């Protein structure tokens, strides 16, 4: 840790130093994370690289379709299935289908060489996809298409059984494209005939159904993608803070703090005055204060339960910790849809059998589904809280903090339910952000009044305010993309899945008996492709809810995971303020304390020449002034 | 006619031409002249249905072969079926010849001779038609007996003046209403009456004209009118085909505005005359709203806002909201308020389109009554001053808000727990049971559950309750239409229930 004495000995800040610091921030928060998290060709089998490029190119095409959806719509004839729909450009349906077949084939190749449950899941999903298009009816003229689908599904099962015992081969993809594509082509031919007979557009409806089936698989990805902006904001803030605290000079931290205070105070005042919280009175802040209190309780509780030796949560590892839980939390939150699907499907089945009326007051699928969702939310929050306690007891405070904050954020989704839906209690994250800002200013004022505002404290407080400011402008990145695409959720999702693919694909670089490299790699590529196709479809039909409310899932991810990560980062930096600690400790004595953590090196744990937070004393500049308190030994 | 297609009925491409007599006042009894062609390759006349005559050709009469070239000749023979049950059969013999005409066109001339029995000559028609590439039929001349009918492309006649306002809705006391079941069918002077319709209606909400006729959209993209005929039978009247899929229909007295998947808005009179067609950059998913005695406002899904003259389709002004729009714009006095997908509300001057104010507000439904703009998000009803967009008051509802309606100067909001009527000052006027749908008329509202309906006065006094047949909720999907005397409930099976005071 850097003491005030040490800081006073540091030389003045020069432009070169600032440039090096900026480069370090870039390396640590962006380039390093991409280098650490991207797919790497580590002796891939023949053809795998081509498939990766094929899938990636298909995802880029899908993203371009989304980005160019406005001119595409304006120039194409629209096929509308039902009133209230915006219609899909008829001439582009084929491209969406081709992309869907490519994604399904990649997924199926991955599943074929995966564990038994993945093989089963792949068969169910792919056969379901083929059946949607291949079984349009049982009339005599439709029989050939139905038989074709049956034969193709049988071929798929045989292929999966035979090839599952053998190793990956590139031509499997080609075979599967034909097998999966045949019923789709047959279905299109048959639908072309029946469209004319009925005067009704079946093709867009079938495409929507097919994408909805694929979409159910990747809804968790949308939740996870929703927090990419928060993830990036926290990563950049933490890296900047650490580099800033290593810069020489005594006075400039106070100048920075003063500037940030003025900017953030102005921003907050503007938010209040221009009516960002329009229509809300002070009662809007009650839930926000309640959530802040819950977070304080959480920190206190975890502090009491945790090992003293574990120290404070390291803010630089929070982004990675949050990334680790993003997908599981996404699965859990998206899984909330299951009760809805189950109840409506069961009701549909029972009503078709005449066992229950189609609509009654006593058996309302929506009410039952809502109740199920609320209860499930409470269960998820409880599980996260238990995991947080387990992690803090194991000496992983950062992981515990992220899990705990996530539990509180999940709980906010069920606040209204906790009042039997009678109180209009709802968390306004902007109000929570304003509460955090007000508290930060109070803390700063307290230390200024006590003349205890050290350079490290000043920078840490500035970091807190910057976090609040970034959170306030979290739509800055996604909205421009969204406005081009046509609806706001698209930007959030496209940025999220792109960032996740670039930084979260390290799993694909490994191998195991159940998950060999080709399976891992192709799953990751399919994970990139399917959401991109869904976004493209939703953008082309100008309908956020066309295949599920993708936007809503991304917003839940932003609200739950994003808010949780930012809250955790806020708490971690606040602990530094209270303890007057620097984020840039002596490099020789600090190592990554937690799984996924990078300690003080770059986010990838790889030291770069000139990296201010390099892996050795020799790399570090400026050199540590003097040994100060040593961090506690790693508990793991 | 469709029987003429035989086994190819399901796949044949049929072209229907409709000619409507333009009169100064709407004539709902006038029968339009319709010709039905098969146009898969050749142009073949399947039949016609004109005032005084209806015929079906079996096989179809070839007017233009698919491989026709200048100098080509062709002939045909077959039967002509007429009468209510096609009981009268004539035979026909046709001969045609095509000659080159200017502009790459083809002039087709020929004869169609009819006979009551072989060897018994009957009427002979002499045809002269001019077909041009990309333009279709440009000129036609039909000589039958001493009369000659010539059809030419002419400038559209001036738009007929039509009433663009509806008579006010004044319900009688719902306690005295009875339920009458009607059917919509075909009444045709040439082919007879059928108490049923071909094709099915869609879920596009039906509309009612100033004269009380009901108009519904069919799955074949038609807008079909129906009017009371005899007893419990309603007969179909005008049939309009704007092209593409019909997305919305709005009624403005005797003028309708239809929006389609072809990114067009089309104006029609209630008797089926196409008044105008307006090309738009995007489709319009929310029904057009009245923006003056003879003006409507259209808002496309990309946020393009237009004030349009109902009689001519002329755009008075247009603005870009800047975000997608899925809620119908609300006319609030001299303002037009739009809530967009970017959680913003913007008010424009109705007369000029000038932006007056813009504020951030998330709205799932909006309505205007008594000088107050009402908006709901998931859990609160907000009363907004349309002058400056400021919030007058905010009331939190029990449960999650599902419905917003206005009755007189009051707002009615419904959640899964209760339906509440709020006065213009935010006072709670009455609390009613929860409803999934609300139908309002001055002084009254009808609340729908999934099995029952109840009528209330605007101050919360219950007037009547009904438990309709279960099939109403499965086959009608509750699309009640408020009409001056009560309610109309169109079923998806062309059944039509009328709830009103007994006549």
């Amino acid at each position: 840790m850097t003491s005030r004495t040490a800081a006073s000995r540091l030389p003045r800040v020069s432009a070169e130093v600032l440039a090096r610091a900026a480069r370090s921030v870039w390396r640590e928060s962006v380039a390093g994370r991409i280098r650490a998290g991207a797919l790497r060709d580590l002796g891939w089998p023949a053809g795998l690289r081509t498939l990766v490029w094929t899938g990636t190119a298909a995802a880029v095409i899908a993203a371009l379709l989304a980005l160019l959806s406005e001119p595409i719509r304006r120039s194409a004839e629209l096929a509308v299935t039902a009133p209230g729909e915006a219609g899909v450009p008829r001439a582009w349906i084929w491209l969406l289908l081709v992309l869907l077949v490519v994604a399904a084939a990649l997924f199926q190749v991955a599943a074929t060489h995966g564990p038994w449950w993945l093989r089963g899941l792949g068969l169910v999903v792919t056969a379901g996809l083929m059946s949607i298009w291949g079984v349009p009816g049982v009339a005599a003229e439709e029989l050939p298409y139905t038989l074709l689908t049956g034969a193709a599904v049988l071929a798929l099962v045989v292929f999966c059984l035979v090839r599952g015992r053998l190793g990956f081969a590139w031509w499997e993809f080609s075979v599967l494209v034909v097998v999966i594509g045949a019923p789709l082509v047959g279905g299109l031919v048959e639908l072309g005939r029946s469209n004319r007979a009925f005067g009704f557009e079946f093709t867009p409806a079938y495409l929507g159904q097919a994408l909805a089936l694929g979409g159910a698989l990747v809804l968790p990805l949308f939740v996870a993608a929703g927090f990419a902006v928060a993830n990036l904001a926290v990563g950049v803030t933490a890296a900047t803070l650490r580099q800033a605290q290593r810069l020489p000079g005594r006075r400039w931290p106070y100048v920075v703090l003063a500037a940030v205070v003025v900017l953030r105070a102005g921003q907050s005042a503007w938010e209040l005055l221009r009516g960002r919280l329009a229509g809300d009175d002070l009662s809007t802040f009650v839930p926000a204060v309640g959530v802040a209190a819950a977070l304080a309780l959480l920190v206190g509780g975890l502090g009491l339960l945790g090992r003293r030796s574990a120290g404070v949560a390291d803010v630089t590892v929070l982004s990675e910790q949050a990334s680790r839980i993003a997908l599981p939390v996404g699965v859990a939150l998206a899984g909330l849809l299951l009760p809805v699907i189950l109840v409506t499907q069961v009701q549909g089945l029972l009503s078709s059998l005449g066992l229950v009326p189609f609509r009654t007051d006593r058996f309302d699928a929506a009410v039952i589904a809502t109740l199920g969702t609320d209860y499930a939310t409470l269960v998820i929050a409880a599980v996260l809280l238990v995991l947080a306690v387990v992690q803090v007891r194991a000496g992983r405070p950062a992981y515990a903090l992220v899990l705990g904050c996530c539990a509180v954020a999940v709980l906010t989704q069920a606040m209204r339910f906790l009042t039997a839906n009678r109180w209009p209690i709802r968390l306004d994250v902007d109000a929570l952000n304003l509460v955090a800002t007000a508290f930060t200013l109070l803390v700063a004022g307290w230390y200024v009044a006590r003349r205890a505002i050290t350079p490290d404290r000043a920078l840490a407080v500035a970091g807190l305010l910057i976090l609040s400011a970034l959170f306030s402008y979290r739509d800055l990145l996604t909205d421009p993309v969204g406005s081009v695409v046509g609806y706001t959720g698209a930007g959030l999702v496209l940025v999220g899945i792109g960032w996740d693919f670039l930084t979260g694909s390290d799993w694909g670089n490994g191998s195991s008996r159940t998950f060999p490299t080709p399976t891992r790699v192709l799953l990751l590529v399919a994970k990139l492709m399917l959401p991109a196709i869904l976004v493209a479809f939703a953008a082309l039909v100008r309908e956020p809810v066309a295949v599920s409310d993708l936007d809503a899932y991304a917003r839940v991810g932003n609200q739950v995971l994003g808010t949780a990560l930012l809250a955790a980062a806020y708490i971690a930096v606040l602990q530094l303020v209270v303890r007057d600690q620097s984020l840039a400790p002596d490099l020789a004595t600090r190592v990554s304390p937690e799984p996924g953590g990078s300690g003080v090196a770059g986010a990838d744990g790889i030291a770069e020449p000139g990296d201010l937070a390099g892996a050795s004393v020799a790399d570090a500049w400026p050199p540590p002034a003097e040994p100060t308190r040593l961090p506690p030994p790693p508990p793991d | 006619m469709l029987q003429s297609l035989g086994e190819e009925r399901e796949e044949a491409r049929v072209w229907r031409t409709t000619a409507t007599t333009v009169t100064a006042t709407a004539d709902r009894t006038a029968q339009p002249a319709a010709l039905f062609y098969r146009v898969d390759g050749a142009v073949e006349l399947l039949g016609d249905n004109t005032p005084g005559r209806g015929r079906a050709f079996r096989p179809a009469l070839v007017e233009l072969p698919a491989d026709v070239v200048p100098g080509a000749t062709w002939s045909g023979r077959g039967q002509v079926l007429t009468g209510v049950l096609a009981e009268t059969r004539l035979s026909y013999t046709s001969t045609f010849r095509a000659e080159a005409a200017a502009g790459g066109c083809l002039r087709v001339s020929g004869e169609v001779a009819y006979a009551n029995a072989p060897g018994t000559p009957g009427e002979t028609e002499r045809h002269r038609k001019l077909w041009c590439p990309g333009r279709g039929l440009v000129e036609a001349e039909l000589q039958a007996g001493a009369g000659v009918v010539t059809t030419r492309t002419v400038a559209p006649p001036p738009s007929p003046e039509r009433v663009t306002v509806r008579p006010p809705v004044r319900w009688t006391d719902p306690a005295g209403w009875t339920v009458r079941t009607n059917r919509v069918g075909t009444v045709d002077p040439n082919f007879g009456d059928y108490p049923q319709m071909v094709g099915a209606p869609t879920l596009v909400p039906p509309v009612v004209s100033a004269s009380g006729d009901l108009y519904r959209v069919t799955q074949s993209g038609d807008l079909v009118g129906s009017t009371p005929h005899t007893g419990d039978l309603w007969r179909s009247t005008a049939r309009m085909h704007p092209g593409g899929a019909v997305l919305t229909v709005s009624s403005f007295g005797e003028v309708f505005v239809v929006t389609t998947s072809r990114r067009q808005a089309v104006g029609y009179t209630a008797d089926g005359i196409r008044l105008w067609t307006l090309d738009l950059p995007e489709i319009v998913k929310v029904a057009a709203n009245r923006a003056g005695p003879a003006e409507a406002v259209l808002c496309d899904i990309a946020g393009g806002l237009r004030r349009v003259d109902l009689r001519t389709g002329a755009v008075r002004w247009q603005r870009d909201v800047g975000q997608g729009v899925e809620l119908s714009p609300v006319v609030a006095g001299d303002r037009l308020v739009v809530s967009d997908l970017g959680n913003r509300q913007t008010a424009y001057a109705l007369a000029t389109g000038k932006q007056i104010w813009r504020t951030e507000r998330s709205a799932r439904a909006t309505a205007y009554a008594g000088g107050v703009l009402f908006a709901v998000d998931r859990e609160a009803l907000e009363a907004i001053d349309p002058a400056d967009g400021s919030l007058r008051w905010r009331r939190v509802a029990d449960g999650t808000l599902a419905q917003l309606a206005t009755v007189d100067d009051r707002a009615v909001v419904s959640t899964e727990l209760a339906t509440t009527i709020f006065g213009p000052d935010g006072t709670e006027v009455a609390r009613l049971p929860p409803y999934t749908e609300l139908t309002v008329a001055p002084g009254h509202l009808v609340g729908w559950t999934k099995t029952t309906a109840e009528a209330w006065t605007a101050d919360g006094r219950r007037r009547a309750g009904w438990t309709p047949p279960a099939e109403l909720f499965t086959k009608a999907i509750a699309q009640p239409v408020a009409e001056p005397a009560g309610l109309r409930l169109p079923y998806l099976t062309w059944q039509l229930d009328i709830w009103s005071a007994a006549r």
Side-chain angles (χ1 to χ4, degrees):
Chain A
M1 274 155 234
T2 309
S3 70
R4 220 183 319 170
T5 318
S8 64
R9 293 181 191 167
L10 296 173
R12 293 171 67 83
V13 179
S14 68
E16 185 191 352
V17 170
L18 280 177
R20 291 176 67 182
R23 280 199 298 274
S24 295
V25 169
W26 168 257
R27 272 199 303 272
E28 186 176 331
S29 55
V30 180
R33 293 190 66 184
I34 291 174
R35 199 161 42 247
L39 278 177
R40 290 190 293 276
D41 183 349
L42 304 171
W44 284 353
L48 185 56
R49 174 181 274 266
T50 307
L51 293 190
V52 170
W53 278 113
T54 303
T56 311
V60 171
I61 290 171
L64 284 174
L65 275 181
L67 292 170
L68 300 174
S69 58
E70 185 163 348
I72 287 173
R73 273 186 69 83
R74 291 195 179 198
S75 61
E77 187 186 351
L78 300 174
V80 178
T81 301
E85 288 186 357
V88 57
R90 186 176 279 121
W92 296 82
I93 290 177
W94 69 270
L95 182 53
L96 287 167
L97 282 170
V98 168
L99 293 174
L100 187 62
V101 170
V102 169
L106 287 174
F107 173 65
Q108 190 56 45
V109 173
T112 301
H113 299 286
W116 65 267
W117 59 266
L118 184 61
R119 227 175 292 171
L121 180 68
L123 275 178
V124 168
V125 171
T126 311
L129 172 72
M130 294 157 74
S131 303
I132 286 174
W133 290 89
V135 194
V138 291
E141 59 268 33
E142 293 160 350
L143 197 58
Y145 304 104
T146 308
L147 291 175
L148 172 68
T149 303
V153 170
L154 189 64
L156 175 74
V157 174
V158 171
F159 178 91
C160 201
L161 289 175
V162 172
R163 292 301 304 172
R165 299 165 185 274
L166 307 169
F168 163 83
W170 65 268
W171 51 263
E172 290 172 338
F173 170 75
S174 311
V175 170
L176 284 172
V177 164
V178 173
V179 170
I180 297 169
L184 269 70
V185 173
L188 278 178
V189 171
E190 166 56 18
L191 288 176
R193 189 188 66 80
S194 48
N195 279 352
R196 285 174 65 180
F198 287 93
F200 181 80
E201 294 277 3
F202 287 101
T203 313
Y206 277 53
L207 177 62
Q209 273 188 38
L211 286 170
L213 179 67
L217 270 185
V218 294
L219 284 179
L221 300 179
F222 285 92
V223 178
F227 100 121
V229 177
N231 190 338
L232 198 56
V234 168
V236 171
T237 306
T240 307
L241 178 59
R242 190 166 63 180
Q243 297 302 334
Q245 286 182 330
R246 289 194 87 43
L247 290 174
R250 284 185 62 104
R251 291 182 183 168
W252 68 269
Y254 303 112
V255 177
V256 168
L257 176 61
V260 172
V261 164
V262 169
L263 287 174
R264 177 58 190 150
Q267 188 192 29
S268 304
W270 173 247
E271 280 176 21
L272 288 168
L273 287 175
R274 76 169 179 158
R276 181 158 192 164
L277 305 170
D280 297 334
D281 47 32
L282 285 177
S283 65
T284 306
F285 288 90
V286 173
V289 171
V291 170
L295 288 169
L297 270 176
L298 172 83
V299 173
L302 292 179
L304 285 175
L305 292 169
R307 294 185 200 168
R308 298 287 299 169
S309 58
V312 299
D314 183 353
V315 70
T316 59
V317 302
L318 289 178
S319 288
E320 287 160 78
Q321 305 286 17
S323 297
R324 292 177 64 204
I325 65 165
L327 194 55
V329 171
V331 170
L333 289 174
L336 296 176
L337 193 68
L338 283 179
V340 184
I341 296 171
L342 272 178
V343 169
T344 46
Q345 293 292 326
V346 168
Q347 187 190 16
L349 181 66
L350 294 180
S351 65
S352 68
L353 295 173
L355 297 176
V356 299
F358 179 64
R359 301 169 77 185
T360 72
D361 283 337
R362 283 178 300 171
F363 191 83
D364 188 317
V367 170
I368 294 172
T370 306
L371 271 176
T373 304
D374 287 330
Y375 280 115
T377 304
L378 294 183
V379 171
I380 293 170
V383 169
L384 285 167
L385 204 56
V386 169
L387 288 175
V389 171
V390 170
Q391 292 300 323
V392 81
R393 298 286 296 167
R396 301 187 185 98
Y399 202 10
L401 184 61
V402 170
L403 285 165
C405 289
C406 209
V408 174
V410 168
L411 209 54
T412 62
Q413 303 291 303
M415 286 167 90
R416 198 171 162 80
F417 173 63
L418 293 174
T419 69
N421 287 325
R422 292 202 171 271
W423 292 2
I425 189 165
R426 179 177 64 89
L427 174 65
D428 184 326
V429 288
D430 289 313
L432 178 63
N433 195 25
L434 286 171
V435 169
T437 298
F439 183 72
T440 308
L441 293 175
L442 277 176
V443 169
W446 165 261
Y447 284 114
V448 169
R450 293 187 59 203
R451 294 181 173 276
I453 187 86
T454 64
D456 282 342
R457 273 199 176 121
L459 286 173
V461 170
L464 290 176
L465 293 172
I466 288 170
L467 265 182
S468 288
L470 286 177
F471 185 73
S472 186
Y473 282 138
R474 61 194 177 283
D475 296 335
L476 200 65
L477 178 61
T478 55
D479 268 3
V481 182
S483 56
V484 169
V485 173
Y487 67 97
T488 51
L492 195 61
V493 173
L494 286 178
V495 170
I497 58 174
W499 178 249
D500 181 55
F501 183 69
L502 288 173
T503 63
S505 299
D506 191 41
W507 178 74
N509 297 323
S511 183
S512 66
R513 202 170 62 82
T514 49
F515 277 103
T517 300
T519 292
R520 293 175 179 229
V521 170
L522 294 179
L523 278 181
L524 288 167
V525 175
K527 181 180 151 206
L528 173 73
M529 266 195 81
L530 264 174
I533 297 170
L534 287 171
V535 171
F537 179 69
L540 282 173
V541 301
R542 280 287 184 272
E543 195 91 40
V545 294
V547 283
S548 281
D549 194 347
L550 309 180
D551 185 20
Y553 283 94
R555 276 188 274 113
V556 166
N558 187 25
Q559 179 139 6
V560 172
L561 289 163
T563 306
L565 174 60
L566 284 155
Y570 184 91
I571 291 165
V573 177
L574 191 63
Q575 286 176 325
L576 294 177
V577 174
V578 172
R579 298 186 181 203
D580 193 15
Q581 288 179 345
S582 168
L583 203 55
D586 176 30
L587 302 169
T589 55
R590 187 74 183 269
V591 292
S592 175
E594 299 194 40
S598 57
V600 292
D604 54 353
I606 301 168
E608 294 289 332
D611 190 340
L612 291 181
S616 70
V617 175
D619 287 336
W621 191 94
E626 60 184 32
T628 53
R629 283 174 289 169
L630 292 176
D636 295 337
Chain B
M1 280 175 219
L2 292 174
Q3 285 172 355
S4 302
L5 298 171
E7 291 181 355
E8 298 174 47
R9 179 177 170 174
E10 286 192 357
E11 296 184 22
R13 186 179 292 269
V14 175
W15 173 40
R16 181 187 66 208
T17 71
T18 306
T20 310
T21 306
V22 179
T23 54
T25 55
D27 182 4
R28 291 181 289 133
T29 60
Q31 184 194 1
L35 302 177
F36 296 85
Y37 289 95
R38 177 177 180 169
V39 288
D40 285 313
V43 178
E44 303 166 88
L45 182 65
L46 292 168
D48 53 18
N49 190 14
T50 58
R53 187 174 68 181
R55 303 179 298 186
F57 292 83
R58 189 178 295 175
L61 173 68
V62 179
E63 291 202 358
L64 197 67
D67 54 353
V68 66
V69 290
T73 58
W74 65 96
S75 59
R77 63 176 58 241
Q79 286 189 317
V80 182
L81 282 61
T82 63
V84 172
L85 297 173
E87 70 277 10
T88 308
R89 299 190 173 210
L90 311 176
S91 62
Y92 79 85
T93 311
S94 65
T95 54
F96 287 98
R97 176 181 177 79
E99 291 165 358
C105 301
L106 280 176
R107 186 168 296 284
V108 175
S109 53
E111 286 184 355
V112 182
Y114 300 92
N116 293 327
T120 320
E123 187 183 15
T124 299
E125 291 176 351
R126 291 185 173 78
H127 292 260
R128 281 172 62 83
K129 290 186 176 174
L130 182 66
W131 298 85
C132 291
R135 296 167 63 197
L137 184 59
V138 177
E139 277 179 32
E141 185 182 286
L142 170 64
Q143 184 182 352
V148 178
V149 177
T150 305
T151 307
R152 282 200 193 92
T153 307
V154 294
S159 302
E161 287 291 318
R162 291 288 185 263
V163 175
T164 54
V165 291
R166 273 191 70 186
V169 173
R170 299 258 183 255
W171 280 358
T172 55
D173 186 352
W177 285 1
T178 58
V179 178
R180 283 169 289 135
T181 297
N182 297 267
R183 290 206 62 81
V184 180
T186 303
V187 174
D188 190 285
N190 296 320
F191 292 103
D193 301 348
Y194 294 90
Q196 59 190 27
M197 298 282 286
V198 176
T202 67
L203 292 172
V204 175
V207 293
V208 175
S209 68
S211 54
D213 291 351
L214 185 75
Y215 289 78
R216 306 194 68 183
V217 176
T218 68
Q219 287 192 342
S220 54
D222 288 347
L223 178 63
V224 180
S226 54
T227 191
H229 184 58
T230 52
D232 63 353
L233 179 65
W234 284 46
R235 68 174 179 85
S236 63
T237 55
R239 183 176 281 267
M240 295 152 257
H241 189 78
V246 174
L247 304 177
T248 70
V249 185
S250 307
S251 166
F252 301 91
E254 294 292 321
V255 173
F256 300 145
V257 175
V258 180
T259 65
T260 73
S261 63
R262 289 188 176 173
R263 291 180 288 263
Q264 286 181 329
V266 185
Y268 280 105
T269 64
D271 43 346
I273 299 168
R274 185 185 280 238
L275 293 174
W276 47 266
T277 302
L278 179 64
D279 289 316
L280 302 165
E282 255 297 357
I283 61 164
V284 174
K285 274 172 53 180
V286 290
N289 263 2
R290 178 178 293 283
E295 279 110 15
V297 62
L298 287 163
C299 192
D300 64 48
I301 61 168
L305 189 66
R306 290 162 190 81
R307 189 183 186 208
V308 178
D309 187 305
L310 283 169
R311 296 192 176 100
T312 64
V315 176
R316 300 283 182 229
W317 55 256
Q318 70 179 62
R319 294 289 177 273
D320 183 8
V321 177
Q323 287 275 352
V325 175
E326 294 209 326
L327 278 183
S328 197
V330 175
V331 176
D334 59 353
R335 306 284 158 86
L336 182 68
V337 182
V338 186
S339 302
D340 63 39
L341 291 175
N343 294 331
R344 303 179 309 180
Q345 260 184 350
T346 312
Y348 300 90
L350 195 56
T352 63
K354 183 185 173 194
Q355 183 178 319
I356 308 293
W357 52 260
R358 172 170 283 176
T359 186
E360 289 198 14
R361 180 173 287 118
S362 164
R364 298 176 69 214
T366 49
Y368 175 77
V372 181
L373 175 69
F374 296 102
V376 295
D377 59 12
R378 289 188 74 82
E379 55 215 25
L381 167 69
E382 296 179 337
I384 298 148
D385 188 340
D388 57 6
S390 62
L391 184 73
R392 286 189 183 170
W393 49 261
R394 187 170 197 260
R395 296 290 176 270
V396 173
D398 286 350
T400 301
L401 285 166
Q403 295 285 322
L404 167 68
T406 54
V407 53
D408 299 344
D409 60 350
R410 293 155 190 190
V412 188
V413 289
S414 187
T415 72
E416 73 275 19
L417 299 173
T419 300
T420 314
I421 303 175
F422 289 101
D425 57 353
T427 53
E428 186 178 308
V429 175
R431 184 166 289 225
L432 318 177
Y435 294 118
T436 54
E437 301 281 344
L438 297 168
T439 309
V440 291
H444 292 91
L445 70 96
V446 173
W448 301 83
T449 70
K450 289 166 184 170
T451 51
T452 61
E454 289 178 300
W456 302 79
T457 60
D459 51 3
R461 283 179 293 124
R462 188 177 182 278
R463 299 305 303 144
W466 303 273
T467 305
E471 66 172 359
L472 175 71
F473 297 94
T474 55
K475 292 182 179 170
I477 321 287
Q479 291 183 317
V481 184
E483 62 153 1
L487 277 177
R488 287 189 190 159
L489 282 155
Y491 286 56
L492 288 177
T493 54
W494 291 104
Q495 182 179 323
L496 173 66
D497 284 0
I498 297 177
W499 297 13
S500 61
R503 278 183 284 189

